[in-house]
Amino acid sequence: SGGRSSAKMAQNILERMERLTAKEIMDVSPDIVSYNTCLNAWAKSSSEDALVMAERLVQHMKDQYSIVGNIDAKPDVITYNTLLTAYGRRSSRDEDALQRILEILADMEEQYNSGVDETMRPSAITYNNAINAFAKSTVAGKAKQAQMILESMKRSYDSGNLDAKPNLFAFTSVMNACAYTKGDQDETLEALKILWSTFNDLCDNASDYGGPNHVTYITLLKALRDLMPMSNERDEIIKKVFQRCIRDGEVNQKVLVILKSALPLDDFRLITGSDSISRDSIPADWRRNVHKRHKV
């Protein structure tokens, strides 16, 4: 799994099914599940030509549908979500891959919004894949781009696309893009603004999207530690965030690790009552909700 051999094997099986059907030897015409399974193999492949093969397969599916007339080969939302995954795996330093992700997303939105093809309805997975690709990248302006995709996700949901309902993963991924922003003062300042805007949006709409969890707080604390210059103001903000984390019952060891690295030791002792970052040192009420929701 992850190598070229697995994907090539899936491709060979798919092509054999098509040949057997074309020669009327056996009726084993590939359906959308068959094509998407092969595409998923290429998406997970570490082969250098994986993206080329994935794009070629999607084009082949289109041709099978529009030219050959195989209605079961028509690409669907899973097809494009898988293609997004393929590009997302290679997006960390590849601006062309990130641009292609935006093109795929825009194409899906256009087909769905125009009524041309409602099966191209972008889902939460679609938007999450795109946001996460930018969050993991090292390109300039990634926090702003991740925020813009989240805004598109919210608009789609507000317009009636219930499959695109924003979730905790989407908000936390945007915050993650902020936390790992590198650049000049202007870019870090923009990342800070986006960080707070995204966190406040999540908290204000907790009944719709789900409130912050321990991963959200870890991301927020890390971002404040790394993006803000050392100062009393930063320390006070971090302490207020931790107090909110306590109130939400989302304190775990990783939260304490980040907190200890972000505050002077005396402040850490004062706010936690201990030097320890062990699980046993965390009051039960502080961690009551840590395992009650799915992790992001």
Side-chain angles (χ1 to χ4, degrees), residues 76-87:
D76 61 8
V77 67
I78 295 175
T79 307
Y80 288 101
N81 285 346
T82 305
L83 194 57
L84 286 171
T85 299
Y87 278 98

Side-chain angles (χ1 to χ4, degrees), residues 217-218 221-222 225 234-235 237-243 245-246 251-265 267-269 271-272 274 277 286:
Y217 281 110
I218 290 167
L221 289 168
K222 182 191 183 305
R225 181 195 68 188
R234 187 188 77 168
D235 294 346
I237 291 172
I238 287 173
K239 285 187 278 189
K240 287 180 181 178
V241 168
F242 181 66
Q243 291 288 358
C245 186
I246 292 174
V251 180
N252 70 354
Q253 285 178 276
K254 289 184 179 179
V255 170
L256 291 184
V257 169
I258 296 295
L259 183 72
K260 196 170 187 177
S261 70
L263 288 177
L265 184 56
D267 284 353
F268 177 80
R269 288 172 178 156
I271 198 170
T272 64
S274 171
I277 56 172
W286 291 14

Side-chain angles (χ1 to χ4, degrees), residues 96-110:
D96 289 339
L98 292 169
Q99 183 58 41
R100 181 65 182 127
I101 285 170
L102 294 178
E103 291 171 358
I104 293 168
L105 180 58
D107 185 49
M108 293 177 71
E109 289 180 324
E110 172 62 24

Side-chain angles (χ1 to χ4, degrees), residues 199-200 202-206 210-214 217 220 238-252 255 271 282-290 292-293:
F199 180 72
N200 289 331
L202 175 63
C203 294
D204 292 344
N205 295 280
N213 71 356
H214 62 284
Y217 281 110
L220 178 57
I238 287 173
K239 285 187 278 189
K240 287 180 181 178
V241 168
F242 181 66
Q243 291 288 358
R244 177 160 189 154
C245 186
I246 292 174
R247 189 194 72 187
D248 288 347
E250 293 288 355
V251 180
N252 70 354
V255 170
I271 198 170
I282 305 172
D285 187 56
W286 291 14
R287 52 182 163 84
R288 67 188 183 278
N289 291 323
V290 169
K292 287 190 176 180
R293 292 184 289 174

Side-chain angles (χ1 to χ4, degrees), residues 170-196:
F171 283 89
T172 303
S173 291
V174 173
M175 293 172 63
N176 195 52
C178 300
Y180 285 91
T181 289
K182 307 293 182 184
D184 58 21
Q185 186 176 5
D186 288 341
E187 184 158 5
T188 55
L189 181 60
E190 181 180 53
L192 267 173
K193 290 178 180 177
I194 294 170
L195 178 79
W196 279 120

